[in-house]
Amino acid sequence: MNDLAWMAAAGPDLKIDWARMPTYNTIMAVAAGAGLLLVVGLGRRLLHPEGRVETSGWALAFGGLGLILTLTGLHMTLTWPLAGQGFPFDNVIFGEPSLAFGVLLLMASLFLWKRGEVLDEAGPGRVGLVSRLSGPTSIFVFGMGLACFGIAAAGWKYQLFAAPPQEPISGKFADQKWLEATFISGLYVLVGIGAVLFPFALRTPSGWIVKVIGIVWAVSGVLFLLFGALNYFTHIGLIINTS
């Protein structure tokens, strides 16, 4: 029985022990969305070698978001199952990708803070420098892209992600499980496309692949950020309605 099944069986009087439900994909979604947008933004600047990159500012931004995603993702990943009633798949769906993205952002932050000046010193050659430095990491990025496809497929097949009737706004579509499942799964597909294409973009950093990555990560970043912000209202309402 998945989360919607037991919620539906509980009826309008559903009660959740929130002390045992450490789900906080609100800030995780906002941070992930902002992180994707920052990656796209930095990539655009690096592709214009005549401009300077204020690496300290980017390092601080990447570091802050990376810390949030690493801490929350690590805790969610290691807390198994996430709760005694429903949502055990959140560990895999939200926890592990957030942990992976958070660590990657921290790695980028560390480099930008310690060695960021080499990007400006490299001038026109900095795109090639970034490609060489990112080569080994791209294997992991590619693997997580495939993982995103797996998460999306599971979301569609098992009708995950749909909100319970007790949740404001999203709960209005509780009887249409496919709707939110399609939306969230679609976001994971967009992120996965960019991640899978990433290693190939390093070989031709000025080709069409780079543009595709920029588009899919920018779109998914905006949607993740807005969806996470909306969840601050809907999740608070869910907590009030089920406490």
Side-chain angles (χ1 to χ4, degrees):
M1 178 180 291
N2 63 25
D3 61 316
L4 282 181
W6 68 262
M7 284 183 171
D13 297 325
L14 170 68
K15 299 296 180 182
I16 297 177
D17 182 6
W18 288 103
R20 299 177 58 241
M21 186 73 74
T23 178
Y24 28 68
N25 49 18
T26 42
I27 193 169
M28 296 167 80
V30 171
L36 287 169
L37 292 175
L38 285 177
V39 170
V40 173
L42 180 59
R44 291 184 60 184
R45 283 164 174 77
L46 292 175
L47 289 172
H48 294 81
E50 65 277 2
R52 290 186 58 82
V53 179
E54 296 296 335
T55 54
S56 296
W58 290 97
L60 290 172
F62 280 16
L65 295 174
L67 183 63
I68 290 173
L69 289 171
T70 299
L71 291 178
T72 55
L74 181 64
H75 181 259
M76 185 177 285
T77 298
L78 297 181
T79 305
W80 186 268
L82 188 62
Q85 46 182 353
F87 303 113
F89 47 80
D90 275 7
N91 305 66
V92 178
I93 293 175
F94 298 115
E96 293 186 17
S98 294
L99 173 60
F101 190 29
V103 171
L104 290 172
L105 289 176
L106 288 179
M107 291 166 57
S109 174
L110 179 62
F111 173 79
L112 291 171
W113 187 262
K114 292 291 187 179
R115 299 290 307 281
E117 70 279 356
V118 302
L119 296 178
D120 287 326
E121 294 172 357
R126 70 184 179 192
V127 175
L129 174 62
V130 171
S131 296
R132 292 192 298 273
L133 290 171
S134 304
T137 306
S138 67
I139 299 174
F140 181 58
V141 175
F142 180 84
M144 289 307 300
L146 296 179
C148 285
F149 292 153
I151 291 172
W156 277 317
K157 177 175 176 57
Y158 300 108
Q159 299 290 289
L160 306 178
F161 310 123
Q166 293 80 6
E167 182 171 327
I169 302 180
S170 303
K172 300 295 183 181
F173 308 99
D175 58 340
Q176 303 176 43
K177 301 178 183 179
W178 60 269
L179 185 60
E180 193 162 359
T182 299
F183 174 70
I184 300 297
S185 291
L187 290 183
Y188 275 99
V189 168
L190 291 177
V191 176
I193 290 173
V196 167
L197 292 178
F198 183 72
F200 304 98
L202 297 179
R203 298 181 180 181
T204 55
S206 59
W208 63 269
I209 296 180
V210 174
K211 295 180 180 179
V212 172
I213 294 175
I215 292 172
V216 295
W217 280 356
V219 171
S220 57
V222 169
L223 293 177
F224 263 120
L225 189 146
L226 294 178
F227 184 71
L230 174 66
N231 279 347
Y232 274 96
F233 171 73
T234 60
H235 283 198
I236 289 172
L238 176 62
I239 292 171
I240 292 175
N241 292 335
T242 57
S243 297

